Amino acid sequence: MCGIVGYTGNKPAQEIVIDSLKKLEYRGYDSSGIALHEGEIVFSKKEGPIANLESVLDSSNSKMAIAHTRWATHGVPSDVNSHPHLSNDGKIAVVHNGTIDNYLDIKSSLENEGFNFLSESDTEVIPNLLSKYYEGDLVKAVSKILDEIEGIYTIAAIHVDNPEQIVSVRNETPLVIGLGNEENYVASDIYAILKYTQQIIYPDDHQIVSVSPKDVKVLDQNLNEVKFEVETVEKYTEVAEKGGFEHFMLKEIFEQPKALQDSQTELFVNSPLDNLDLNWKIGSISVVACGTSYHAGLVGKYVIEQLTAIPVSVHYASEFRYAAPVQGVGGLMSSRPLVILISQSGETADTLAAARAAKQQGCHTVAICNVPGSRITREVDGVIITKSGQEIGVAATKTFLTQMQALYALAMHLAFQSGSIDHVMLKNWENELRGIPSKITQLLNSSESIKELVPHISKAKSTFFIGRNINYPLALEGALKLKEISYIHAEGYPAGELKHGPLALLSSDTPVIAIAIQDHTYSKLISNIEEISARSAPVITVAQKGDKQALRVSDHGFELPEVDPVLSPFLVAVFVQLLSYYVAHDLGKSIDKPRNLAKSVTVE
Ligand code: M6R
Protein backbone atom coordinates (compact mmCIF):
# COMPACT_ATOMS: atom_id res chain seq x y z
CA MET A 1 0.00 0.00 0.00
CA CYS A 2 1.00 3.64 -0.19
CA GLY A 3 4.18 4.83 1.45
CA ILE A 4 5.46 8.26 2.48
CA VAL A 5 8.95 9.52 3.18
CA GLY A 6 10.18 13.03 3.79
CA TYR A 7 13.55 14.55 4.59
CA THR A 8 14.63 18.01 5.66
CA GLY A 9 18.23 18.69 6.58
CA ASN A 10 21.64 19.57 5.30
CA LYS A 11 22.17 16.91 2.63
CA PRO A 12 20.80 16.48 -0.89
CA ALA A 13 17.30 15.29 -0.13
CA GLN A 14 16.46 13.54 -3.39
CA GLU A 15 18.98 10.75 -2.88
CA ILE A 16 17.84 10.12 0.68
CA VAL A 17 14.11 9.97 -0.02
CA ILE A 18 14.56 7.75 -3.08
CA ASP A 19 16.72 5.39 -1.03
CA SER A 20 14.10 5.42 1.75
CA LEU A 21 11.26 4.97 -0.70
CA LYS A 22 12.90 1.79 -1.97
CA LYS A 23 12.61 0.36 1.55
CA LEU A 24 8.84 0.62 1.10
CA GLU A 25 8.69 -1.24 -2.19
CA TYR A 26 7.90 -4.48 -0.36
CA ARG A 27 4.53 -3.04 0.67
CA GLY A 28 3.24 -3.16 -2.91
CA TYR A 29 2.69 -0.07 -5.09
CA ASP A 30 1.95 0.91 -8.66
CA SER A 31 3.63 4.31 -9.07
CA SER A 32 5.87 6.75 -7.26
CA GLY A 33 6.68 10.43 -7.10
CA ILE A 34 8.74 13.13 -5.42
CA ALA A 35 8.46 16.86 -4.68
CA LEU A 36 11.51 19.04 -4.04
CA HIS A 37 12.16 22.67 -3.18
CA GLU A 38 14.32 24.36 -5.81
CA GLY A 39 13.20 27.92 -5.18
CA GLU A 40 9.94 26.66 -6.58
CA ILE A 41 8.22 23.33 -6.01
CA VAL A 42 9.58 20.83 -8.51
CA PHE A 43 7.97 17.45 -8.83
CA SER A 44 8.16 14.22 -10.83
CA LYS A 45 5.85 11.22 -10.76
CA LYS A 46 5.72 8.03 -12.76
CA GLU A 47 3.59 4.97 -13.03
CA GLY A 48 5.47 1.69 -12.48
CA PRO A 49 8.54 0.86 -10.42
CA ILE A 50 10.64 3.48 -8.65
CA ALA A 51 13.23 2.91 -11.38
CA ASN A 52 10.82 4.66 -13.79
CA LEU A 53 10.79 7.68 -11.52
CA GLU A 54 14.56 7.65 -11.18
CA SER A 55 14.94 7.63 -14.94
CA VAL A 56 13.27 11.05 -15.21
CA LEU A 57 14.96 12.74 -12.25
CA ASP A 58 17.53 15.47 -12.76
CA SER A 59 20.16 16.06 -10.12
CA SER A 60 18.90 18.32 -7.36
CA ASN A 61 20.37 20.45 -4.58
CA SER A 62 17.15 20.61 -2.63
CA LYS A 63 17.69 19.90 1.06
CA MET A 64 14.04 19.03 1.56
CA ALA A 65 11.87 16.46 -0.21
CA ILE A 66 8.71 14.45 0.18
CA ALA A 67 8.14 11.27 -1.80
CA HIS A 68 5.48 8.63 -2.20
CA THR A 69 4.68 5.15 -3.45
CA ARG A 70 1.05 4.85 -4.54
CA TRP A 71 -1.26 1.84 -4.41
CA ALA A 72 -4.30 2.92 -6.40
CA THR A 73 -7.59 3.42 -4.58
CA HIS A 74 -9.21 6.33 -6.46
CA GLY A 75 -8.29 6.34 -10.14
CA VAL A 76 -6.21 3.89 -12.15
CA PRO A 77 -2.44 3.68 -11.74
CA SER A 78 -1.08 6.48 -13.96
CA ASP A 79 1.40 9.34 -13.88
CA VAL A 80 -1.31 11.91 -13.32
CA ASN A 81 -2.98 10.04 -10.46
CA SER A 82 0.35 9.47 -8.70
CA HIS A 83 1.49 11.64 -5.82
CA PRO A 84 2.60 14.32 -5.08
CA HIS A 85 -0.46 16.39 -5.94
CA LEU A 86 -0.05 20.13 -6.21
CA SER A 87 -2.32 23.07 -5.48
CA ASN A 88 -3.49 24.96 -8.57
CA ASP A 89 -0.95 27.71 -7.93
CA GLY A 90 1.86 25.13 -7.72
CA LYS A 91 2.93 26.38 -4.29
CA ILE A 92 1.90 23.42 -2.16
CA ALA A 93 2.75 19.75 -2.71
CA VAL A 94 1.10 16.92 -0.82
CA VAL A 95 1.61 13.18 -0.50
CA HIS A 96 -1.09 11.14 1.17
CA ASN A 97 -1.73 7.60 2.37
CA GLY A 98 -5.30 6.50 3.01
CA THR A 99 -8.59 7.68 1.57
CA ILE A 100 -10.59 10.90 1.81
CA ASP A 101 -14.16 9.63 2.01
CA ASN A 102 -15.88 12.98 1.32
CA TYR A 103 -13.54 14.09 -1.46
CA LEU A 104 -16.31 14.34 -4.05
CA ASP A 105 -18.21 16.92 -1.94
CA ILE A 106 -15.03 18.87 -1.27
CA LYS A 107 -14.03 18.70 -4.91
CA SER A 108 -17.34 20.06 -6.17
CA SER A 109 -17.34 22.94 -3.70
CA LEU A 110 -13.73 23.77 -4.59
CA GLU A 111 -14.67 23.62 -8.27
CA ASN A 112 -17.45 26.10 -7.58
CA GLU A 113 -14.80 28.35 -6.06
CA GLY A 114 -12.72 28.13 -9.23
CA PHE A 115 -10.24 25.34 -8.44
CA ASN A 116 -9.37 22.88 -11.21
CA PHE A 117 -8.57 19.22 -10.85
CA LEU A 118 -6.27 17.23 -13.07
CA SER A 119 -6.53 13.74 -11.65
CA GLU A 120 -9.09 11.19 -10.45
CA SER A 121 -7.33 10.96 -7.09
CA ASP A 122 -9.11 11.84 -3.84
CA THR A 123 -5.81 13.32 -2.62
CA GLU A 124 -5.91 16.28 -5.01
CA VAL A 125 -8.49 18.04 -2.83
CA ILE A 126 -5.91 18.34 -0.02
CA PRO A 127 -3.37 20.73 -1.62
CA ASN A 128 -6.22 22.85 -2.96
CA LEU A 129 -7.96 23.01 0.42
CA LEU A 130 -4.62 23.94 1.99
CA SER A 131 -4.14 26.61 -0.60
CA LYS A 132 -7.62 27.98 0.15
CA TYR A 133 -6.80 28.30 3.87
CA TYR A 134 -3.14 29.27 3.59
CA GLU A 135 -2.32 32.66 5.09
CA GLY A 136 1.44 32.39 5.46
CA ASP A 137 1.45 29.41 7.86
CA LEU A 138 1.15 25.84 6.55
CA VAL A 139 0.58 24.42 10.04
CA LYS A 140 -2.46 26.66 10.49
CA ALA A 141 -3.79 25.69 7.07
CA VAL A 142 -3.44 21.99 7.96
CA SER A 143 -5.30 22.52 11.24
CA LYS A 144 -8.16 24.13 9.31
CA ILE A 145 -8.60 21.32 6.80
CA LEU A 146 -8.83 18.67 9.52
CA ASP A 147 -12.41 19.71 10.21
CA GLU A 148 -13.31 19.28 6.56
CA ILE A 149 -11.66 16.07 5.48
CA GLU A 150 -13.18 12.75 6.51
CA GLY A 151 -11.39 9.47 6.12
CA ILE A 152 -8.14 7.93 7.12
CA TYR A 153 -4.90 9.56 6.23
CA THR A 154 -1.27 10.30 6.71
CA ILE A 155 -0.38 13.53 4.95
CA ALA A 156 2.94 15.25 4.36
CA ALA A 157 2.86 18.72 2.82
CA ILE A 158 5.39 21.37 1.81
CA HIS A 159 4.96 25.02 0.76
CA VAL A 160 7.19 27.05 -1.51
CA ASP A 161 7.40 29.80 1.15
CA ASN A 162 9.41 27.58 3.47
CA PRO A 163 12.29 25.56 1.99
CA GLU A 164 12.87 23.70 5.27
CA GLN A 165 9.47 22.75 6.65
CA ILE A 166 7.47 19.55 6.18
CA VAL A 167 4.07 19.52 7.86
CA SER A 168 2.50 16.19 8.59
CA VAL A 169 -0.62 14.80 10.22
CA ARG A 170 -2.28 11.42 10.57
CA ASN A 171 -5.63 9.85 11.28
CA GLU A 172 -5.67 6.07 11.82
CA THR A 173 -2.75 5.37 9.49
CA PRO A 174 0.90 5.32 10.53
CA LEU A 175 3.23 8.28 10.81
CA VAL A 176 6.67 8.32 12.38
CA ILE A 177 9.12 11.18 12.73
CA GLY A 178 12.81 10.29 12.80
CA LEU A 179 15.28 12.59 14.50
CA GLY A 180 18.79 13.18 13.20
CA ASN A 181 21.55 15.67 13.70
CA GLU A 182 20.32 18.87 12.07
CA GLU A 183 18.20 16.71 9.82
CA ASN A 184 14.85 15.06 10.41
CA TYR A 185 12.68 12.53 8.68
CA VAL A 186 9.01 11.84 8.12
CA ALA A 187 7.75 8.39 7.15
CA SER A 188 4.68 6.21 7.12
CA ASP A 189 6.73 3.10 7.88
CA ILE A 190 9.63 2.93 10.27
CA TYR A 191 11.57 0.63 7.93
CA ALA A 192 11.95 3.55 5.53
CA ILE A 193 14.20 5.52 7.86
CA LEU A 194 15.81 3.06 10.25
CA LYS A 195 18.99 3.17 8.20
CA TYR A 196 19.31 6.83 9.14
CA THR A 197 17.98 7.07 12.68
CA GLN A 198 16.63 5.05 15.58
CA GLN A 199 15.27 8.11 17.45
CA ILE A 200 11.57 8.03 16.71
CA ILE A 201 8.50 10.08 17.60
CA TYR A 202 5.07 8.51 17.16
CA PRO A 203 2.49 11.32 16.83
CA ASP A 204 -1.12 10.61 17.77
CA ASP A 205 -4.13 11.01 15.49
CA HIS A 206 -4.79 14.66 14.55
CA GLN A 207 -1.55 15.94 16.04
CA ILE A 208 0.10 18.24 13.54
CA VAL A 209 3.83 17.92 13.24
CA SER A 210 6.06 20.64 11.89
CA VAL A 211 9.45 19.22 10.93
CA SER A 212 12.48 21.36 10.11
CA PRO A 213 16.18 20.42 10.20
CA LYS A 214 16.75 21.78 13.71
CA ASP A 215 13.29 21.62 15.17
CA VAL A 216 10.30 19.33 15.49
CA LYS A 217 7.07 20.69 16.93
CA VAL A 218 4.01 18.61 17.70
CA LEU A 219 0.77 20.58 18.05
CA ASP A 220 -2.82 19.71 18.77
CA GLN A 221 -5.53 20.82 16.39
CA ASN A 222 -5.90 24.09 18.34
CA LEU A 223 -2.21 24.66 17.69
CA ASN A 224 -1.15 24.23 21.31
CA GLU A 225 2.27 22.61 21.49
CA VAL A 226 2.21 19.16 23.03
CA LYS A 227 5.06 17.31 24.66
CA PHE A 228 6.26 14.26 22.84
CA GLU A 229 8.40 11.31 23.75
CA VAL A 230 11.36 10.23 21.70
CA GLU A 231 11.79 6.47 21.64
CA THR A 232 14.96 4.66 20.72
CA VAL A 233 14.06 1.69 18.57
CA GLU A 234 16.08 -1.38 17.77
CA LYS A 235 18.02 -1.19 14.54
CA TYR A 236 16.71 -3.83 12.16
CA THR A 237 19.16 -5.70 10.06
CA GLU A 238 18.42 -4.33 6.65
CA VAL A 239 16.94 -6.84 4.31
CA ALA A 240 18.03 -5.57 0.96
CA GLU A 241 19.42 -8.76 -0.45
CA LYS A 242 17.88 -12.05 -1.36
CA GLY A 243 20.99 -13.85 -0.10
CA GLY A 244 21.31 -16.08 -3.15
CA PHE A 245 17.61 -17.01 -3.23
CA GLU A 246 15.62 -16.17 -6.32
CA HIS A 247 12.82 -14.55 -4.33
CA PHE A 248 12.37 -13.02 -0.90
CA MET A 249 9.55 -15.47 -0.30
CA LEU A 250 11.85 -18.47 -0.72
CA LYS A 251 14.50 -16.84 1.43
CA GLU A 252 11.93 -16.17 4.13
CA ILE A 253 10.66 -19.77 4.00
CA PHE A 254 14.22 -20.95 4.59
CA GLU A 255 14.65 -18.44 7.42
CA GLN A 256 11.86 -20.08 9.42
CA PRO A 257 14.00 -22.21 11.75
CA LYS A 258 15.90 -19.09 12.81
CA ALA A 259 12.75 -16.98 13.09
CA LEU A 260 11.25 -19.58 15.43
CA GLN A 261 14.44 -19.84 17.49
CA ASP A 262 14.80 -16.06 17.84
CA SER A 263 11.16 -15.88 18.86
CA GLN A 264 11.67 -18.68 21.39
CA THR A 265 14.40 -16.63 23.05
CA GLU A 266 11.97 -13.76 23.26
CA LEU A 267 9.14 -15.97 24.58
CA PHE A 268 10.99 -18.23 26.99
CA VAL A 269 13.93 -16.08 28.10
CA ASN A 270 12.62 -12.52 28.02
CA SER A 271 9.18 -13.83 29.13
CA PRO A 272 6.84 -11.13 27.79
CA LEU A 273 3.90 -13.33 28.80
CA ASP A 274 4.62 -12.67 32.48
CA ASN A 275 4.04 -8.96 31.83
CA LEU A 276 0.63 -9.40 30.23
CA ASP A 277 -1.23 -9.33 33.56
CA LEU A 278 -3.51 -12.19 32.56
CA ASN A 279 -4.13 -13.12 36.16
CA TRP A 280 -7.91 -13.07 36.36
CA LYS A 281 -10.18 -15.99 35.57
CA ILE A 282 -10.62 -15.51 31.84
CA GLY A 283 -14.10 -16.57 30.76
CA SER A 284 -13.63 -16.29 27.01
CA ILE A 285 -11.08 -15.29 24.44
CA SER A 286 -11.68 -13.67 21.07
CA VAL A 287 -8.90 -13.79 18.49
CA VAL A 288 -9.12 -11.15 15.78
CA ALA A 289 -6.99 -10.83 12.63
CA CYS A 290 -6.96 -10.80 8.82
CA GLY A 291 -5.62 -13.19 6.19
CA THR A 292 -2.76 -15.42 7.22
CA SER A 293 -2.78 -13.96 10.72
CA TYR A 294 -6.41 -15.07 11.01
CA HIS A 295 -5.33 -18.60 10.11
CA ALA A 296 -2.70 -18.49 12.87
CA GLY A 297 -5.53 -17.46 15.19
CA LEU A 298 -7.58 -20.50 14.15
CA VAL A 299 -4.67 -22.80 15.01
CA GLY A 300 -4.33 -20.96 18.32
CA LYS A 301 -7.99 -21.68 19.10
CA TYR A 302 -7.37 -25.44 18.99
CA VAL A 303 -4.32 -25.24 21.24
CA ILE A 304 -5.78 -22.81 23.78
CA GLU A 305 -9.04 -24.75 24.05
CA GLN A 306 -7.18 -28.04 24.35
CA LEU A 307 -4.85 -26.80 27.08
CA THR A 308 -7.09 -24.45 29.02
CA ALA A 309 -10.71 -25.29 28.21
CA ILE A 310 -11.32 -21.53 27.80
CA PRO A 311 -13.69 -21.07 24.84
CA VAL A 312 -12.03 -19.21 21.98
CA SER A 313 -13.80 -17.54 19.06
CA VAL A 314 -11.83 -16.35 16.04
CA HIS A 315 -13.02 -13.37 14.01
CA TYR A 316 -12.11 -11.58 10.82
CA ALA A 317 -11.14 -8.07 11.91
CA SER A 318 -13.19 -6.54 9.09
CA GLU A 319 -16.30 -8.15 10.61
CA PHE A 320 -15.43 -7.81 14.27
CA ARG A 321 -14.96 -4.05 14.05
CA TYR A 322 -18.61 -3.56 13.06
CA ALA A 323 -20.11 -6.14 15.40
CA ALA A 324 -20.19 -6.43 19.15
CA PRO A 325 -19.32 -10.07 19.37
CA VAL A 326 -17.30 -10.03 22.55
CA GLN A 327 -20.19 -9.52 24.93
CA GLY A 328 -22.24 -11.88 22.87
CA VAL A 329 -19.84 -14.80 23.31
CA GLY A 330 -20.92 -15.85 26.74
CA GLY A 331 -23.96 -13.67 27.25
CA LEU A 332 -23.34 -11.09 29.97
CA MET A 333 -19.73 -10.25 30.63
CA SER A 334 -19.06 -12.22 33.81
CA SER A 335 -15.32 -11.67 33.66
CA ARG A 336 -13.20 -9.37 31.58
CA PRO A 337 -12.90 -10.91 28.10
CA LEU A 338 -9.49 -11.20 26.54
CA VAL A 339 -9.13 -10.13 22.91
CA ILE A 340 -5.99 -11.18 21.07
CA LEU A 341 -5.19 -9.16 17.95
CA ILE A 342 -2.74 -10.76 15.52
CA SER A 343 -0.98 -8.63 12.93
CA GLN A 344 2.52 -9.09 11.60
CA SER A 345 2.69 -5.46 10.45
CA GLY A 346 0.77 -3.91 13.31
CA GLU A 347 -0.73 -1.53 10.76
CA THR A 348 -3.66 -3.39 9.21
CA ALA A 349 -6.55 -0.92 9.25
CA ASP A 350 -9.25 -3.46 10.10
CA THR A 351 -7.24 -5.07 12.91
CA LEU A 352 -6.45 -1.67 14.40
CA ALA A 353 -10.11 -0.69 14.29
CA ALA A 354 -11.02 -4.02 15.90
CA ALA A 355 -8.53 -3.37 18.70
CA ARG A 356 -10.18 -0.02 19.34
CA ALA A 357 -13.66 -1.57 19.29
CA ALA A 358 -12.54 -4.21 21.79
CA LYS A 359 -11.07 -1.61 24.10
CA GLN A 360 -14.25 0.41 23.92
CA GLN A 361 -16.13 -2.65 25.11
CA GLY A 362 -13.88 -2.91 28.12
CA CYS A 363 -11.93 -5.94 26.94
CA HIS A 364 -8.31 -6.61 27.79
CA THR A 365 -6.37 -6.47 24.52
CA VAL A 366 -3.13 -8.25 23.66
CA ALA A 367 -1.40 -7.96 20.29
CA ILE A 368 0.88 -10.49 18.65
CA CYS A 369 2.97 -8.44 16.27
CA ASN A 370 6.24 -8.57 14.38
CA VAL A 371 6.96 -4.85 14.28
CA PRO A 372 7.89 -3.25 17.61
CA GLY A 373 6.55 0.29 17.91
CA SER A 374 3.92 -0.26 15.22
CA ARG A 375 0.50 1.27 15.72
CA ILE A 376 -1.20 -1.75 17.23
CA THR A 377 1.53 -2.29 19.80
CA ARG A 378 0.90 1.24 21.03
CA GLU A 379 -2.83 0.88 21.42
CA VAL A 380 -3.29 -2.45 23.21
CA ASP A 381 -2.85 -3.42 26.85
CA GLY A 382 -0.13 -6.01 26.26
CA VAL A 383 2.17 -7.10 23.46
CA ILE A 384 3.95 -10.27 22.37
CA ILE A 385 6.59 -9.44 19.79
CA THR A 386 7.52 -12.13 17.32
CA LYS A 387 11.11 -12.03 16.17
CA SER A 388 10.80 -13.04 12.54
CA GLY A 389 12.83 -10.12 11.24
CA GLN A 390 11.48 -8.06 8.40
CA GLU A 391 9.28 -9.95 5.96
CA ILE A 392 9.52 -8.55 2.44
CA GLY A 393 7.53 -11.04 0.35
CA VAL A 394 3.87 -10.07 0.23
CA ALA A 395 2.95 -13.66 1.07
CA ALA A 396 3.29 -14.13 4.82
CA THR A 397 5.50 -17.12 5.69
CA LYS A 398 7.89 -16.86 8.61
CA THR A 399 5.60 -14.48 10.47
CA PHE A 400 2.81 -17.10 10.29
CA LEU A 401 4.98 -19.67 12.05
CA THR A 402 6.10 -17.29 14.76
CA GLN A 403 2.50 -16.14 15.32
CA MET A 404 1.43 -19.75 15.81
CA GLN A 405 4.34 -20.30 18.18
CA ALA A 406 3.34 -17.24 20.22
CA LEU A 407 -0.19 -18.65 20.53
CA TYR A 408 1.14 -22.04 21.67
CA ALA A 409 3.25 -20.25 24.28
CA LEU A 410 0.24 -18.21 25.37
CA ALA A 411 -1.85 -21.36 25.70
CA MET A 412 0.89 -22.97 27.80
CA HIS A 413 1.14 -19.85 29.96
CA LEU A 414 -2.62 -19.70 30.58
CA ALA A 415 -2.77 -23.43 31.27
CA PHE A 416 0.09 -23.24 33.76
CA GLN A 417 -1.40 -20.22 35.45
CA SER A 418 -4.77 -21.88 35.88
CA GLY A 419 -3.20 -25.11 37.13
CA SER A 420 -4.25 -27.24 34.14
CA ILE A 421 -0.63 -28.15 33.51
CA ASP A 422 2.20 -28.38 36.03
CA HIS A 423 5.77 -27.20 35.75
CA VAL A 424 6.98 -30.48 34.26
CA MET A 425 4.32 -30.42 31.55
CA LEU A 426 5.08 -26.79 30.85
CA LYS A 427 8.75 -27.65 30.32
CA ASN A 428 7.78 -30.62 28.12
CA TRP A 429 5.74 -28.35 25.88
CA GLU A 430 8.57 -25.86 25.75
CA ASN A 431 11.01 -28.60 24.76
CA GLU A 432 8.65 -29.84 22.07
CA LEU A 433 8.44 -26.34 20.60
CA ARG A 434 12.22 -26.02 20.76
CA GLY A 435 12.46 -29.16 18.64
CA ILE A 436 10.41 -27.72 15.77
CA PRO A 437 13.13 -25.62 14.05
CA SER A 438 15.32 -28.68 13.44
CA LYS A 439 12.36 -30.61 12.02
CA ILE A 440 11.69 -27.70 9.67
CA THR A 441 15.33 -27.78 8.62
CA GLN A 442 14.91 -31.48 7.78
CA LEU A 443 11.83 -30.64 5.72
CA LEU A 444 13.63 -27.83 3.93
CA ASN A 445 16.43 -30.23 3.10
CA SER A 446 13.96 -32.47 1.29
CA SER A 447 12.16 -29.60 -0.42
CA GLU A 448 13.38 -30.64 -3.88
CA SER A 449 10.91 -33.53 -3.85
CA ILE A 450 8.03 -31.05 -3.46
CA LYS A 451 8.89 -29.79 -6.95
CA GLU A 452 7.83 -33.18 -8.32
CA LEU A 453 4.26 -32.39 -7.26
CA VAL A 454 4.13 -29.18 -9.28
CA PRO A 455 2.97 -30.65 -12.64
CA HIS A 456 -0.08 -32.11 -10.90
CA ILE A 457 -1.23 -28.64 -9.85
CA SER A 458 0.14 -25.98 -12.17
CA LYS A 459 -2.24 -26.71 -15.06
CA ALA A 460 -5.33 -26.78 -12.86
CA LYS A 461 -7.88 -23.98 -12.95
CA SER A 462 -9.18 -24.86 -9.52
CA THR A 463 -7.87 -26.73 -6.48
CA PHE A 464 -8.95 -27.69 -2.98
CA PHE A 465 -6.98 -28.00 0.24
CA ILE A 466 -8.60 -30.12 2.91
CA GLY A 467 -7.73 -30.78 6.52
CA ARG A 468 -9.38 -31.53 9.83
CA ASN A 469 -9.09 -30.36 13.40
CA ILE A 470 -5.91 -28.32 14.00
CA ASN A 471 -4.94 -28.72 10.34
CA TYR A 472 -8.18 -27.30 8.96
CA PRO A 473 -6.67 -23.78 9.29
CA LEU A 474 -3.66 -25.09 7.36
CA ALA A 475 -5.99 -26.05 4.52
CA LEU A 476 -7.19 -22.44 4.51
CA GLU A 477 -3.62 -21.16 4.62
CA GLY A 478 -2.51 -23.51 1.83
CA ALA A 479 -5.35 -22.27 -0.37
CA LEU A 480 -4.53 -18.64 0.41
CA LYS A 481 -0.83 -19.12 -0.37
CA LEU A 482 -1.53 -20.89 -3.66
CA LYS A 483 -4.10 -18.41 -4.91
CA GLU A 484 -2.21 -15.26 -3.96
CA ILE A 485 1.05 -16.14 -5.66
CA SER A 486 0.06 -18.54 -8.48
CA TYR A 487 -3.39 -17.03 -9.25
CA ILE A 488 -4.86 -20.55 -9.38
CA HIS A 489 -8.23 -20.65 -7.72
CA ALA A 490 -7.96 -22.57 -4.46
CA GLU A 491 -10.35 -23.22 -1.62
CA GLY A 492 -9.58 -24.50 1.84
CA TYR A 493 -12.18 -26.76 3.41
CA PRO A 494 -12.69 -28.85 6.51
CA ALA A 495 -12.49 -32.30 4.91
CA GLY A 496 -15.87 -33.36 6.26
CA GLU A 497 -17.61 -30.48 4.50
CA LEU A 498 -16.80 -31.50 0.93
CA LYS A 499 -19.80 -33.76 0.67
CA HIS A 500 -22.08 -30.85 1.59
CA GLY A 501 -21.54 -29.09 -1.71
CA PRO A 502 -18.01 -28.80 -3.10
CA LEU A 503 -17.85 -32.46 -4.21
CA ALA A 504 -19.97 -31.29 -7.16
CA LEU A 505 -16.93 -29.37 -8.44
CA LEU A 506 -14.50 -32.28 -8.37
CA SER A 507 -13.28 -33.92 -11.54
CA SER A 508 -10.03 -35.29 -12.93
CA ASP A 509 -8.69 -31.78 -13.43
CA THR A 510 -9.40 -30.54 -9.90
CA PRO A 511 -6.48 -31.58 -7.70
CA VAL A 512 -7.12 -31.86 -3.98
CA ILE A 513 -4.30 -31.39 -1.49
CA ALA A 514 -5.14 -33.41 1.62
CA ILE A 515 -3.49 -32.88 4.99
CA ALA A 516 -3.54 -36.31 6.66
CA ILE A 517 -2.24 -36.14 10.21
CA GLN A 518 -2.63 -39.07 12.61
CA ASP A 519 -4.80 -37.48 15.26
CA HIS A 520 -8.28 -38.60 16.34
CA THR A 521 -9.75 -37.45 13.00
CA TYR A 522 -7.31 -39.42 10.86
CA SER A 523 -9.55 -42.34 9.84
CA LYS A 524 -12.28 -39.87 8.83
CA LEU A 525 -9.83 -38.00 6.67
CA ILE A 526 -8.74 -41.18 4.94
CA SER A 527 -12.41 -41.85 4.12
CA ASN A 528 -12.68 -38.32 2.73
CA ILE A 529 -9.70 -38.98 0.46
CA GLU A 530 -11.39 -42.12 -0.81
CA GLU A 531 -14.60 -40.19 -1.53
CA ILE A 532 -12.57 -37.71 -3.53
CA SER A 533 -10.71 -40.42 -5.47
CA ALA A 534 -14.04 -42.01 -6.30
CA ARG A 535 -14.89 -38.76 -8.14
CA SER A 536 -11.64 -39.05 -10.17
CA ALA A 537 -10.05 -35.98 -8.60
CA PRO A 538 -6.29 -36.46 -8.12
CA VAL A 539 -5.26 -36.37 -4.47
CA ILE A 540 -1.90 -35.10 -3.25
CA THR A 541 -1.46 -35.96 0.38
CA VAL A 542 0.91 -34.55 2.94
CA ALA A 543 1.28 -37.10 5.70
CA GLN A 544 3.47 -38.00 8.65
CA LYS A 545 6.61 -40.03 8.10
CA GLY A 546 5.89 -43.71 7.53
CA ASP A 547 2.15 -43.28 6.99
CA LYS A 548 1.74 -45.87 4.24
CA GLN A 549 -2.04 -45.87 4.40
CA ALA A 550 -2.42 -42.19 3.55
CA LEU A 551 0.02 -42.50 0.68
CA ARG A 552 -1.64 -45.68 -0.61
CA VAL A 553 -5.08 -44.06 -0.96
CA SER A 554 -3.61 -40.96 -2.63
CA ASP A 555 -2.22 -40.36 -6.10
CA HIS A 556 0.85 -38.46 -4.92
CA GLY A 557 2.29 -37.68 -1.55
CA PHE A 558 4.87 -36.00 0.62
CA GLU A 559 6.10 -37.28 3.97
CA LEU A 560 6.77 -34.83 6.76
CA PRO A 561 9.51 -35.45 9.31
CA GLU A 562 8.20 -37.21 12.45
CA VAL A 563 6.06 -34.84 14.46
CA ASP A 564 3.45 -34.87 17.19
CA PRO A 565 0.04 -34.14 15.57
CA VAL A 566 -0.54 -31.10 17.77
CA LEU A 567 2.68 -29.55 16.45
CA SER A 568 2.14 -30.67 12.87
CA PRO A 569 0.81 -27.25 11.67
CA PHE A 570 4.36 -25.88 11.75
CA LEU A 571 5.55 -28.49 9.25
CA VAL A 572 2.39 -28.54 7.15
CA ALA A 573 2.72 -24.76 6.81
CA VAL A 574 6.21 -25.08 5.36
CA PHE A 575 4.98 -27.75 2.93
CA VAL A 576 2.07 -25.63 1.62
CA GLN A 577 4.33 -22.58 1.34
CA LEU A 578 6.91 -24.45 -0.72
CA LEU A 579 4.29 -26.17 -2.86
CA SER A 580 2.65 -22.81 -3.64
CA TYR A 581 6.02 -21.21 -4.28
CA TYR A 582 7.15 -23.90 -6.74
CA VAL A 583 3.80 -23.83 -8.59
CA ALA A 584 3.95 -20.03 -8.90
CA HIS A 585 7.58 -20.27 -9.99
CA ASP A 586 6.68 -22.83 -12.64
CA LEU A 587 4.00 -20.45 -13.93
CA GLY A 588 6.42 -17.52 -13.93
CA LYS A 589 4.36 -15.34 -11.61
CA SER A 590 5.47 -12.25 -9.75
CA ILE A 591 5.99 -14.10 -6.48
CA ASP A 592 7.21 -11.38 -4.13
CA LYS A 593 4.72 -8.79 -5.37
CA PRO A 594 1.57 -10.53 -6.54
CA ARG A 595 -0.79 -8.45 -8.65
CA ASN A 596 -3.29 -6.25 -6.80
CA LEU A 597 -1.89 -7.10 -3.37
CA ALA A 598 -0.02 -5.09 -0.78
CA LYS A 599 2.06 -6.16 2.18
CA SER A 600 0.31 -3.95 4.70
CA VAL A 601 -3.34 -3.19 4.17
CA THR A 602 -3.63 0.22 5.75
CA VAL A 603 -6.96 1.13 4.16
CA GLU A 604 -10.31 -0.44 4.82
O1 M6R B 1 0.04 -7.44 8.79
P1 M6R B 1 -1.11 -8.34 9.03
O2 M6R B 1 -0.71 -9.63 9.67
O3 M6R B 1 -2.19 -7.67 9.83
O4 M6R B 1 -1.70 -8.68 7.62
C1 M6R B 1 -2.87 -9.43 7.49
C2 M6R B 1 -3.05 -9.93 6.08
O5 M6R B 1 -3.15 -8.86 5.18
C3 M6R B 1 -1.88 -10.83 5.66
O6 M6R B 1 -1.73 -11.89 6.55
C4 M6R B 1 -2.12 -11.40 4.25
O7 M6R B 1 -3.22 -12.23 4.23
C5 M6R B 1 -0.86 -12.17 3.83
N1 M6R B 1 0.07 -11.27 3.22
C6 M6R B 1 -1.15 -13.30 2.93
O8 M6R B 1 0.02 -14.02 2.67
Side-chain angles (χ1 to χ4, degrees), residues 468 517 519-528 530 549:
R468 278 178 175 263
I517 296 299
D519 61 14
H520 58 289
T521 63
Y522 175 72
S523 60
K524 304 292 172 200
L525 197 119
I526 296 295
S527 305
N528 297 138
E530 287 176 317
Q549 189 185 2

Side-chain angles (χ1 to χ4, degrees), residues 291-327:
T292 292
S293 299
Y294 171 82
H295 299 153
L298 287 173
V299 173
K301 170 184 163 70
Y302 285 89
V303 187
I304 296 170
E305 288 183 342
Q306 183 176 327
L307 282 183
T308 68
I310 300 170
V312 180
S313 56
V314 188
H315 306 261
Y316 286 114
S318 53
E319 291 296 316
F320 183 94
R321 62 181 291 184
Y322 292 113
V326 177
Q327 284 155 332

Side-chain angles (χ1 to χ4, degrees), residues 289-295 342-349 351 368 391 393-397 399 403 477 480-481 484-485 597-601:
C290 304
T292 292
S293 299
Y294 171 82
H295 299 153
I342 310 175
S343 174
Q344 82 78 23
S345 62
E347 284 183 21
T348 303
T351 313
I368 297 175
E391 191 174 67
V394 163
T397 51
T399 54
Q403 288 168 346
E477 177 59 8
L480 177 60
K481 285 284 96 74
E484 74 178 322
I485 60 169
L597 298 182
K599 184 68 183 162
S600 301
V601 184

